[in-house]
Amino acid sequence: MVVVPTGALTQLVAVGEDGTPLGPAQECSNLAETAASMEADLHPRWIWDSTARMYAGLLREGVRLARCHDLSLIGSILAVRRGEAGEREVVLVDDRPGLFDAHRYPTADAVLGRCHEQLTALGGSPDLKLLAAAESAGALAAAEMSHDGLPFSAPAHLAYLESELGPRPDEGTLPVAMAELEAAVSDAFGRKINPSSPSEVVAAFGRAGIELTSTRAHMLRDIDHPAVPLLLRHRDLSKLFSTNGWAWVDTWVHQNRFRPVYVPGGVVSGRWASRGGGALQIPKTLRSSVIADDGFQFVIADAGQLEPRILAAMSRDRKMMEAAGSDDLYAPVAAAAFDGDRSKAKVAVLGVLYGATAGEARSLLTLLRRRFPDAVRFVETAARAGERGEVVHSLLGRACPQPTSQWWSQGDAHARGRFTRNFVVQATASEWALCLLADLRRRLAAHPGSGELVFFQHDEVVVHSREPETARRFVLEAASAATRLLFGDTPVRFPMDIAVRSCYADPE
DNA sequence: AGAGTAGGCGCC
DNA sequence: AAAGGGCGCCTACTCT
């Protein structure tokens, strides 16, 4: 069912598998009401320009939909595949009346044309159809998670802010804890120093006879000077105050829910991004304020060692797949190639995924290649393709941008190789995670009361549930389904680390 | 004054 | 403990 918003009215057009209309457009004046009844009777796939723009309003009316096809997201995937720039517009959800002029709505013919074009392009490829379905389901999930919000105790967070920073300062002034540290840093150097200014800090250390090339924490930690602990503490507090302080609470937390803006497909690899609120960078220290409602628990599930397992399954390296049959992939890799030294195995595997070129990782790579030749060859093939300026693809067919695209602004051939090497794995890992998310969402929706998705971050999902054991089972079933969809019958396992807790923070 | 870059650090 | 890939967001600082 194609949905064409035209202002006060919405046109609905039923279409066939390839997007050709099956009848004339019907106009409806209350989309939420019509959509709810059609969803119950016909269970259609809703095709529209933008889930971000259309679905938020429906959610506010209490309407939930099972399936959609997001023309913007899929259009972007297809454009990148064609080698076009694929620079996506950022869809800001803002539907204040009158914001869009009537003439800025696309016509029904334009939407139908786009729909036909996309469904035709996907038609021959089950992989691309799966990718489109997963990407679109992700968009629905993102809108629902923004709508529902992550349970977040504002009182707990405000108490934490006060304990770290002191009372809320007046507009334009610093919290007392930061002001005190700033004064103490200045004392330690014997003159007024702004601890937030790297150049001032470097100069101050220079006068004390300490030459620095940077003021990064790991550089400072090696230095014996009374200002160092003060600077590091100041940096932590400054980050907390400016990024997740009182202003952040005012903007992003309401009725004890954190409602961030997710951007499905916002990263070229297919990972989600976020705009505002820092949804995908919630610091560990904030997680003690993520507290479940009474009678609810969080089911916190992350896919352990996801990318190495994806590499094993994609490369079909016999010994790597065997290692990935274990709960801890690094242990068998260590046994096979590193005399049982697990930390070396981990360094080597991460190095091969990211393209480590320096230091110990380089020599460990040689050892890894000896025992796992197909796995190493797989990423090196992708790296060499990138160095030659070629494009690489994920398992389901998401292409990376051309080296000439606006997105790829800088970097030499080696940087391009590191990017394409990582892309094939990261993009396929994103696909696995999206399939899990889509399947889990479907199971939760089919069993009212089993819980709601409240967070998704690359390889981790959080469900807020009154029936955590049911939700836990759904997570495991969804992980199996995702694995089967992408890799069929594979010896590679994708174990989920699942915790059931009333608070998101790690237990002490 | 506003845009853009760099440094720094949080997340995966 | 980094290293290597991908991000967002803040401040300082430079350029226009």
Side-chain angles (χ1 to χ4, degrees), chain A residues 147-208:
Chain A
H147 175 81
D148 294 335
L150 177 67
F152 187 91
S153 166
H157 184 59
L158 294 174
Y160 173 66
L161 289 178
E162 186 145 349
S163 73
E164 291 287 288
L165 294 162
R168 179 173 192 162
D170 293 333
E171 197 77 28
T173 64
L174 289 177
V176 288
M178 286 176 65
E180 284 168 10
L181 282 163
E182 204 169 312
V185 166
S186 297
D187 275 357
F189 284 122
R191 64 192 285 176
K192 181 97 181 73
I193 295 294
N194 177 359
S196 301
S197 167
S199 56
E200 280 190 39
V201 173
V202 168
F205 276 114
R207 281 187 296 272

Side-chain angles (χ1 to χ4, degrees), chain A residues 115-356:
Chain A
C115 171
H116 175 69
E117 187 185 301
Q118 291 191 13
L119 295 180
T120 306
L122 300 177
S125 165
D127 282 350
L128 286 179
K129 281 176 143 171
L130 174 57
L131 176 56
E135 185 89 345
S136 299
L140 293 172
E144 288 163 3
M145 285 194 287
S146 289
H147 175 81
D148 294 335
L150 177 67
F152 187 91
S153 166
H157 184 59
L158 294 174
Y160 173 66
L161 289 178
E162 186 145 349
S163 73
E164 291 287 288
L165 294 162
R168 179 173 192 162
D170 293 333
E171 197 77 28
T173 64
L174 289 177
V176 288
M178 286 176 65
E180 284 168 10
L181 282 163
E182 204 169 312
V185 166
S186 297
D187 275 357
F189 284 122
R191 64 192 285 176
K192 181 97 181 73
I193 295 294
N194 177 359
S196 301
S197 167
S199 56
E200 280 190 39
V201 173
V202 168
F205 276 114
R207 281 187 296 272
I210 297 165
E211 297 303 324
L212 286 178
T213 53
S214 120
T215 65
R216 291 186 176 193
H218 66 94
M219 303 270 296
L220 291 184
R221 268 189 265 276
D222 293 337
I223 288 163
D224 183 28
H225 189 281
V228 166
L230 304 170
L231 282 167
L232 294 175
R233 177 70 178 153
H234 181 274
R235 221 170 260 178
D236 285 347
L237 293 186
S238 168
K239 180 86 180 170
L240 175 64
F241 172 62
S242 62
T243 305
N244 298 110
W246 290 273
W248 176 83
V249 177
D250 290 347
T251 308
W252 297 104
V253 181
H254 297 106
Q255 281 100 43
N256 292 319
R257 290 290 189 274
F258 170 40
R259 294 178 207 285
V261 178
Y262 298 100
V263 185
V267 179
V268 290
S269 66
R271 280 183 171 182
W272 291 8
S274 62
R275 299 281 145 69
L280 303 184
Q281 297 98 231
I282 303 175
K284 293 253 158 60
T285 50
L286 257 74
R287 298 185 183 188
S288 19
S289 300
V290 178
I291 297 168
D293 292 351
D294 282 344
F296 286 74
Q297 297 270 303
F298 291 123
V299 176
I300 305 157
D302 75 282
Q305 306 167 340
L306 178 59
E307 294 193 354
R309 291 172 192 279
I310 292 286
L311 170 60
M314 288 186 89
S315 68
R316 311 191 68 81
D317 183 292
R318 194 180 57 79
K319 283 193 72 80
M320 189 64 87
M321 287 198 290
E322 196 182 307
S326 155
D327 263 354
D328 177 20
L329 173 145
Y330 296 125
V333 170
F338 300 99
D339 293 329
D341 187 333
R342 187 181 179 283
S343 66
K344 283 186 179 171
K346 187 172 176 180
V347 169
V349 169
L350 293 180
V352 86
L353 289 174
Y354 293 139

